[in-house]
Amino acid sequence: MLKIDVYVDRGVCRVVLNGELDMETVAQLQEVVGKVEERTLEVDLSGVFFVDSTGLKSLLDISNDWRQKGGRMLILRPQPDVAEVMRLVGLDQLLAQNPAPCGEER
């Protein structure tokens, strides 16, 4: 299950995810970001406690799509376990991330 909240402020859309990002929930995320019109997309992973390969690929695909449109996607505050998985597969090198630890604002 994945809960998605969307906040828009001054040209930045922040998508806050809570739950699992996996093959059963990526379609929800893709549907939501498909409606975003802002050039900057922030994906807050502070509430994501599990991500599988489908979820990771979805994040990469969304980032690539955003870049091709001339926009920018930023990953915010991944939980330590999620950040470790991203590091192990090298996704941390491909996706822009906010270095602030979980719970701290930029």
Side-chain angles (χ1 to χ4, degrees), residues 1-6 15-36 54-55 58 62:
M1 181 172 173
L2 182 67
K3 180 178 181 282
I4 303 174
D5 293 307
V6 178
V15 177
V16 180
L17 307 180
N18 286 286
E20 299 177 5
L21 184 58
D22 58 20
M23 63 185 286
E24 294 182 17
T25 62
V26 293
Q28 288 177 256
L29 176 60
Q30 292 167 344
E31 181 180 343
V32 168
V33 299
K35 298 175 183 173
V36 174
T54 308
S58 180
I62 292 168

Side-chain angles (χ1 to χ4, degrees), residues 30-44:
Q30 292 167 344
E31 181 180 343
V32 168
V33 299
K35 298 175 183 173
V36 174
E37 297 180 358
E38 285 68 26
R39 292 180 61 93
T40 300
L41 173 65
E42 296 179 337
V43 179
D44 186 331

